[in-house]
């Protein structure tokens, strides 16, 4: 039984890389909806329908547990999917809660009332759809009080990363950080709310300054997944052969993924 990891494009590969290091005996199936990427500029209902279809594709591939490594899908579609009901024995998890756990130093499943935390000023960098959903602020409010969140929609950044245009991507990061700092000059922490952004963590850190703690999903989500599987051993599988699926052109996606991770990746 494999664990499914879904993203609209290549960004979720950063989550898969982190998870594979933590769980070397667990098989993964990665599905990228490259025919419809990016999700960050789509309408909410469109995102929901695409995410639901992608999740079902991973269930068909033998995955009982699916991680929505796409922040936009997690923000816009996850709650609706859970409210409408999942098939028996199937689980879908998002990538926001592990970040909030790390930020607030609070365990997932801790249902005690929200409390004061040390970090009071948080910068959130994400896609326009993720920012518009306010899902991060909603989930944070369940766990912490007195935290000011300033969100910056990072239009164009995912496309630049997927196109391999490093110079443009770095310039966009600096521009988005400057725009946020005009509204919040001194954030204490920054959330990289897109799985593409860990590839530019050093650029974000440099633009924000060394005094800002930058939270990146690749390692945070991997830690959380390992803990979840420890607590839910029925979801564990075996095998080290990972499968990479795409709704797009497999050759083109494979070439871009190889460039993205700097190791050979073959999509079907």
């Amino acid at each position: 039984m494999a664990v499914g990891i879904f993203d609209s494009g290549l960004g979720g590969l950063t989550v898969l890389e982190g998870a594979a290091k933590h769980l070397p005996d667990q098989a993964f199936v990665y599905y990228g909806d490259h025919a419809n990427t990016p999700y960050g500029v789509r309408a909410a209902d469109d995102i929901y329908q695409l995410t639901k279809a992608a999740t079902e594709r991973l269930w068909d591939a033998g995955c009982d547990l699916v991680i929505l490594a796409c922040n936009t899908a997690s923000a816009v579609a996850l709650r609706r999917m859970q409210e409408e009901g999942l098939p028996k024995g199937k689980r879908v998890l998002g990538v926001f809660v592990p970040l909030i756990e790390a930020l607030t130093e609070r365990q997932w499943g801790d249902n005690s009332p929200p409390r004061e935390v040390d970090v009071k000023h948080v910068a959130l960098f994400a896609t326009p759809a993720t920012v518009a959903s306010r899902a991060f602020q909603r989930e944070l409010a369940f766990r912490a009080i007195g935290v000011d969140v300033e969100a910056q929609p990072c239009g164009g950044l995912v496309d630049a990363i997927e196109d391999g245009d490093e110079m443009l991507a770095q310039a966009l990061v600096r521009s988005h950080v400057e725009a946020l700092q005009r509204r919040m000059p001194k954030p204490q922490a920054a959330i990289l709310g897109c799985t593409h952004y860990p590839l530019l963590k050093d650029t974000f850190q440099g633009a924000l300054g060394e005094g800002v703690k930058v939270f990146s999903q690749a390692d945070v989500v991997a830690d959380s997944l390992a803990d979840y599987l420890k607590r839910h051993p029925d979801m564990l599988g075996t095998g080290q052969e990972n499968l990479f699926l795409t709704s797009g052109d497999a050759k083109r996606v494979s070439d871009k993924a190889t460039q993205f991770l700097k190791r050979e990746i073959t999509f079907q």
Side-chain angles (χ1 to χ4, degrees):
M1 182 168 56
V3 170
I5 295 181
F6 164 66
D7 195 3
S8 61
L10 297 174
L13 290 172
T14 62
V15 172
L16 185 145
E17 288 280 279
K21 287 175 185 173
H22 281 66
L23 300 159
D25 297 323
Q26 172 67 51
F28 294 91
V29 178
Y30 184 89
Y31 177 63
D33 189 12
H34 297 91
N36 296 297
T37 196
Y39 280 17
V41 294
R42 289 181 173 273
D45 191 63
D46 196 14
I47 294 166
Y48 169 74
Q49 297 297 341
L50 290 169
T51 302
K52 186 178 178 184
T55 302
E56 289 169 353
R57 175 71 182 86
L58 283 165
W59 287 338
D60 291 343
C63 304
D64 289 341
L65 172 63
V66 173
I67 309 298
L68 300 186
C70 176
N71 283 267
T72 302
S74 291
V76 177
L78 177 59
R79 179 170 291 233
R80 181 174 167 187
M81 288 178 66
Q82 292 173 334
E83 286 173 348
E84 293 188 0
L86 301 173
K88 187 176 180 181
K90 305 294 186 186
R91 297 286 184 276
V92 181
L93 302 176
V95 287
F96 268 139
V97 171
L99 270 178
I100 292 169
E101 289 173 10
L103 179 67
T104 60
E105 298 182 350
R106 181 169 174 154
Q107 290 299 308
W108 197 359
D110 178 352
N111 294 316
S112 60
R115 58 178 180 260
E116 294 271 354
V117 293
D118 292 337
V119 177
K120 301 296 185 187
H121 305 288
V122 177
L124 169 66
F125 297 95
T127 66
T130 297
V131 170
S133 75
R134 293 189 61 80
F136 179 82
Q137 291 91 324
R138 183 179 66 236
E139 294 291 345
L140 181 62
F142 291 145
R143 296 164 178 82
I145 56 176
V147 181
D148 178 24
V149 178
E150 189 64 54
Q152 174 64 31
C154 297
L157 188 51
V158 167
D159 288 334
I161 294 170
E162 294 247 345
D163 289 341
D165 193 337
E166 194 169 335
M167 287 184 64
L168 174 59
Q170 290 176 349
L172 285 168
V173 167
R174 289 189 287 269
S175 174
H176 289 310
V177 169
E178 287 172 9
L180 180 131
Q181 287 178 327
R182 286 195 287 271
R183 304 189 304 275
M184 180 183 278
K186 295 184 178 180
Q188 295 167 278
I191 299 292
L192 304 187
C194 175
T195 47
H196 287 72
Y197 299 175
L199 295 172
L200 292 162
K201 183 179 179 181
D202 290 346
T203 306
F204 274 102
Q205 187 74 72
L208 287 159
E210 290 304 315
V212 180
K213 184 168 185 181
V214 177
F215 289 85
S216 172
Q217 289 177 317
D219 292 324
V220 169
V221 173
D223 283 338
S224 184
L225 175 60
D227 179 66
Y228 182 88
L229 290 173
K230 193 182 297 181
R231 291 183 285 112
H232 298 83
D234 55 308
M235 290 285 173
L236 270 168
T238 56
Q240 295 171 291
E241 285 296 318
N242 297 330
L243 180 63
F244 298 89
L245 304 173
T246 178
S247 60
D249 181 303
K251 170 81 167 59
R252 183 169 178 271
V253 172
S254 297
D255 290 344
K256 291 177 74 173
T258 298
Q259 180 184 17
F260 187 80
L261 285 185
K262 296 180 172 54
R263 70 177 180 85
E264 188 169 354
I265 302 286
T266 303
F267 274 81
Q268 300 176 24

